[in-house]
Amino acid sequence: MTLLIIYLSFSFYPSQNIQAQNRLNDTLIINELIDIADSILANEPKSAKVLIDSAMVIAEKLDVEKYKIKILRRRVDAQYYLGRYSKTITDLFTLLTYYETLKDTVNIAIVYNDIGTTYTEMAELPLALEYLQKAIIVREEKGTTKERTTTLANIGLAYIYMEKYEDAHKYLNKALTIYEEINFLEGIATVNSNIGMAFNNESKYNKALLHFNISLKTYKKIDNLDGIANTLNNIGLLYYYWGNYKDAINYFEKSAKIRSKMGDSNGYLYAINNIAHVYKKQENYRKSLEYLEKSLSVANKENDKRIMTTIVEKTALVYSELGDYKNAYQYQLQYHDLYNDVVNTKKLEQIEELKIEFETEQKEAEITNLKEVTRIQNESLQQRQIIIFLLVGTLILLGLIVYFGITRYRLKTEQKGLKLEQQTLKLEQRLLRSQMNPHFIFNSLSVIQAYIFKGSAKEAAGYLSSFAKLMRHILENSQEEYISLSKEIETLEHYLRLQTIKNEGKINYSINIKDEIELENISVPPMLAQPFIENSIKHGLPGNGKINIFINYVLKNEFILLSIEDDGIGINKSGKNLSKQKENHNSLAISITKSRLQLLNKGGKKKFNFSTTDISEENPNKTGTRIEIEIPYLEEF
């Protein structure tokens, strides 16, 4: 009996330690996923939503309420950013039920306020007012002065949308008075702007201008560039309504200048499109075209086809007004192509979103089933008798066999799902300079999820750490025209390391830099090599074989010569294989790089050049592809 008790002691304690370690790793992964999601939420809400969903899957497995609520709050923000207001409302009511159970009046008031603002966006204005009024009642007892006043201002905004301007002014003026008493400048500026909007809708332009000017002055005090640019644009609209086109253009120009300084492309496009519209109204079509061309150039850089569609359509109309029907016809054709592309992209995105949501629900259901199996096993173990320890040990062994069997089945199921996901995932390219393939992002997330559901928390954490570093490099570098060669190589190292892990040792690579190259003093455009490396892996890797990739940087006169060479199947054979699958196939890497190099060549005296060579053409006994790019570089001291 003594030996048996010792055996069971060694069976239970290591298991408890491993469980505790796994829970700690899962907690770290959840926090890392949330941190990354927070950092990209404003610019990439779709990618942030995928990260948040992954965190929720782990939290469901842990079954810790505080983590699930924390993630649910983030999911509310992501859904709201994406304009999915119905789903936002569903999640908010889940939060409301939770806080009501705890009698947490502070958070109940926050949720009431958020429900009200979401219903305002949905144009469900009676419901919006109902929940905003509830928020006011709770905040009268528990909330701060600033919180109460924020809700008052939100009620005023809802009344503006309802076109009940008398009620709107009542609440907005009350909010303004309180903000002035507590000297909350941002609130003063925002409420004055909303009052101006109400007067504008009432066609009381002089009063609107008075409040817009107060708002502008206050925003300048706190150096709120977004508020300044927005208010300048609103004043420009007022002058446009008055028929004072000169002043309207002046204010739109000021707004555009600030938006450009902020790097806010959407705000900049909105302002210069307003200028183009005013010139068209004045029948100054040449000037209108000048600003439409500026607008189209920015939209092209952002690769925002929705905005490009609108601009191209307006350009066609202006050419038509000029009697230049040839150009009008060309832009009309371009408009139809862009419109069809936007419609098709939107449909693909909707399909992909549905697929991701379906797979997330499947995984959550699997976790629920596993939790139920575990609960039944625990109840059975609690009922065991002390005199049959050996039988208990046998049951534990059988339980482990069942557990690993279920895990193996889940892994096979997930691998099939991930294979399908890797074939179909495609995100819209947001910035041409970033060159980060959205498909690679989702593949990486899939690898992280695979590790998570395998229970490989250590591998998931390691992979996630490398992925987070790469994401941060990409987000930082995409803002710069040129970066140091050392940063470029560091980013490539992160990318290749992830590709090596993902392809399970099928990829070997080397990065060689000649001694005369000073990495810190030489700057190059970011991520020129990555699309070609991705192309080598995607199209050059033999079915069951390996591939070697050699990346070389050599100083050649006034250029850096970048050479990317692999020993894969070669571009000619790869092209033939692709042609069997799809006619008129164009390499995505080459297409993106051509567009990018064309833009870079416009602004400099030295030109970028690149060439593609199938190595078998030089030596029939060898296979592979060589890409060479001559890069004009900047030298800093």
Side-chain angles (χ1 to χ4, degrees), residues 2-31:
T2 303
L3 290 175
L4 186 58
I5 292 172
I6 292 172
Y7 161 74
L8 287 172
S9 297
F10 276 95
S11 298
F12 289 140
Y13 283 104
S15 173
Q16 291 171 352
N17 289 337
I18 291 169
Q19 271 191 334
Q21 185 61 45
N22 286 342
R23 289 176 71 85
L24 176 61
N25 287 336
D26 286 343
T27 302
L28 292 173
I29 291 170
I30 286 172
N31 288 329

Side-chain angles (χ1 to χ4, degrees), residues 40 43-44 263 265 301-302 430-436 470-483 487-488 491 524-527 596:
I40 65 174
N43 294 321
E44 293 289 343
S265 299
K301 287 180 182 177
E302 296 293 329
R430 294 293 304 272
L431 293 173
L432 190 59
R433 279 191 310 207
S434 73
Q435 296 298 306
M436 183 61 178
L470 178 61
M471 283 294 294
R472 290 191 180 103
H473 274 282
I474 294 300
L475 291 171
E476 289 171 5
N477 293 348
S478 66
Q479 304 301 316
E480 304 294 336
E481 184 100 12
Y482 280 78
I483 62 170
K487 284 187 179 180
E488 170 74 352
T491 304
V524 296
M527 296 299 280
R596 189 173 177 203

Side-chain angles (χ1 to χ4, degrees), residues 340-398:
N340 290 332
D341 199 8
V342 167
V343 170
N344 291 333
T345 301
K346 189 173 182 180
K347 286 179 180 178
L348 288 172
E349 288 174 353
Q350 289 171 345
I351 291 169
E352 195 56 47
E353 287 168 7
L354 290 172
K355 179 178 177 295
I356 292 170
E357 288 176 6
F358 172 72
E359 289 179 351
T360 301
E361 289 174 2
Q362 266 191 325
K363 288 166 186 173
E364 289 174 351
E366 288 171 6
I367 289 169
T368 302
N369 290 336
L370 282 173
K371 284 164 60 179
E372 183 63 20
V373 170
T374 304
R375 185 185 65 81
I376 293 169
Q377 289 176 343
N378 288 337
E379 287 179 358
S380 176
L381 289 171
Q382 288 171 0
Q383 295 170 0
R384 69 186 183 276
Q385 299 296 320
I386 296 175
I387 60 173
I388 54 171
F389 284 119
L390 183 59
L391 178 60
V392 172
T394 305
L395 288 173
I396 290 172
L397 181 60
L398 289 173

